[in-house]
């Protein structure tokens, strides 16, 4: 591991120890817990991450905030069920639209504007009628994802299609790694979910990798500047890492092995010996 990571980790550890009193972890799923794969349904927690997640789940509060459905997250994180203390692990699916426990039991659902959902239905209908070649379509119910990882040359035709079908209000197009996602404007953001978790005075560690995490990185950064104990970790997946995230994070790792090491060290530092 590069020397810079050890230096960043040392200062992050010192900050958490100085704050004292437990730690809360907020993690993204794709590109953070699981390596990015060409077929999204095949994404799985990296083995090193699975080990450290088990330790985190048995000692600290763990929240997963992802664009995925809570059903998918519950299935992929089923190995945590035996470690989970009461209320320790919570899943925030579809950017916080649905909050669930590790069994996938829904605890809360955010409200979506009916008119915007009808607009989304119309976009869905247009796609199914005349899809763009080579694009992997993922219907998440309350949002629609269009993956071009397996056909990068189709990015422009896909963008043109989105321009054509996206109404000028009501729906928004979100950018991710080799994916665009169309969602109602009333849909919650990861930031809103994170704000519900970030308690004043409680040290918090966040790790993410993509544009969808930008607002959480910004919130962590603002709170850190305001003196709250916050550590933001960026998982840099090569050329796809959004440059905006670099200056908003304190620790920079290259992959899941390095992230697992860093999270483990942070957890150990705050646990009573
Ligand atoms: Mg991600």
């Amino acid at each position: 591991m590069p020397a810079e990571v050890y230096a960043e980790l040392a200062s992050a550890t010192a900050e958490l120890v100085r704050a004292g009193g437990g730690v809360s972890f907020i993690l993204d799923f794709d590109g953070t817990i699981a390596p990015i794969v060409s077929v999204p349904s095949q994404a799985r927690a990296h083995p090193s991450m699975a080990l450290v997640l088990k330790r985190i789940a048995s000692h600290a509060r763990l929240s997963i905030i992802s664009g995925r459905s809570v059903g998918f997250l519950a299935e992929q994180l089923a190995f945590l069920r035996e470690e989970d203390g009461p209320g320790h692990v919570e899943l925030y699916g579809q950017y916080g639209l649905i909050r669930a426990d590790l069994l996938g039991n829904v605890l809360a659902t955010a409200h979506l504007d009916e008119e915007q959902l009808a607009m989304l239905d119309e976009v869905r209908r247009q796609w199914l009628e005349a899809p763009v070649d080579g694009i992997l379509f993922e219907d998440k119910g309350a949002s629609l994802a269009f993956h071009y990882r397996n056909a990068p040359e189709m990015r422009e035709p896909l963008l043109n299609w989105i321009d054509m079908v996206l109404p000028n209000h009501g729906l928004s197009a979100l950018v991710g790694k080799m994916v665009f996602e169309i969602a109602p404007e009333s849909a919650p953001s990861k930031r809103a979910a994170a704000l519900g978790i970030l308690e004043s005075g409680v040290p918090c560690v966040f790790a993410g990798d993509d544009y969808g995490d930008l607002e959480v990185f910004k919130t962590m950064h603002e709170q850190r500047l305001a003196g709250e104990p916050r550590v933001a970790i960026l998982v840099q997946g090569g050329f796809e890492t959004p440059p905006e995230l670099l200056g908003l994070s304190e620790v920079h790792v290259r992959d899941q092995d390095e992230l697992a090491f860093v999270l483990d060290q942070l957890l150990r530092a705050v646990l009573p010996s």
Side-chain angles (χ1 to χ4, degrees):
M1 196 157 63
E4 307 90 80
V5 183
Y6 284 103
E8 292 170 347
L9 176 59
S11 100
T13 306
E15 180 164 346
L16 292 189
V17 170
R18 202 161 46 235
V23 64
S24 174
F25 288 84
I26 304 177
L27 304 176
D28 162 55
F29 186 79
D30 290 281
T32 301
I33 291 174
I36 301 274
V37 290
S38 54
V39 180
S41 59
Q42 290 172 0
R44 298 291 179 267
H46 186 280
S48 314
M49 285 301 294
L51 282 176
V52 75
L53 287 180
K54 283 185 180 186
R55 276 199 288 280
I56 291 174
S58 55
H59 294 289
R61 184 175 178 195
L62 171 62
S63 311
I64 311 297
I65 309 184
S66 166
R68 300 282 196 160
S69 70
V70 291
F72 179 86
L73 295 173
E75 197 182 321
Q76 299 313 320
L77 298 170
F79 60 85
L80 288 179
R81 286 176 195 168
E82 60 207 61
E83 319 294 330
D84 190 22
H88 272 153
V89 183
E90 282 192 338
L91 310 174
Y92 292 76
Q94 295 182 261
Y95 310 99
L97 176 67
I98 298 173
R99 182 163 62 88
D101 65 16
L102 264 180
L103 297 170
N105 297 313
V106 174
L107 305 171
T109 306
H111 174 77
L112 289 178
D113 182 282
E114 293 294 331
E115 198 181 325
Q116 294 174 3
L117 281 175
M119 290 176 178
L120 192 70
D121 273 345
E122 176 55 23
V123 172
R124 178 187 287 112
R125 190 192 63 75
Q126 293 196 51
W127 175 266
L128 295 175
E129 220 172 75
V132 177
D133 280 346
I135 303 299
L136 198 153
F137 174 61
E138 188 186 2
D139 192 340
K140 298 183 177 182
S143 66
L144 307 173
F146 304 88
H147 301 267
Y148 59 92
R149 180 166 299 276
N150 296 324
E153 73 284 3
M154 296 310 283
R155 186 179 189 273
E156 284 307 311
L158 176 61
L159 271 176
N160 292 339
W161 181 84
I162 290 175
D163 257 0
M164 190 178 73
V165 300
L166 200 69
N168 49 23
H169 69 97
L171 298 181
S172 49
L174 315 165
V175 182
K177 287 182 175 172
M178 310 286 237
V179 62
F180 294 105
E181 190 158 347
I182 297 183
E185 280 174 357
S186 57
S189 66
K190 284 188 173 185
R191 178 175 188 272
L195 279 175
I197 301 165
L198 293 164
E199 289 172 70
S200 182
V202 177
C204 183
V205 175
F206 170 69
D209 74 307
D210 203 355
Y211 281 111
D213 304 313
L214 177 63
E215 296 301 317
V216 184
F217 275 111
K218 278 187 188 165
T219 302
M220 293 284 292
H221 190 67
E222 285 159 15
Q223 294 193 351
R224 186 163 192 266
L225 292 179
E228 292 286 348
R230 303 284 179 252
V231 174
I233 307 169
L234 176 63
V235 186
Q236 304 186 72
F239 68 96
E240 290 178 34
T241 303
E244 299 95 307
L245 303 184
L246 278 168
L248 297 170
S249 42
E250 287 79 53
V251 184
H252 305 91
V253 297
R254 288 172 302 184
D255 55 26
Q256 280 69 37
D257 273 326
E258 288 188 7
L259 176 62
F261 175 79
V262 165
L263 291 175
D264 192 51
Q265 292 295 309
L266 292 173
L267 179 69
R268 282 171 198 274
V270 296
L271 286 183
S273 46

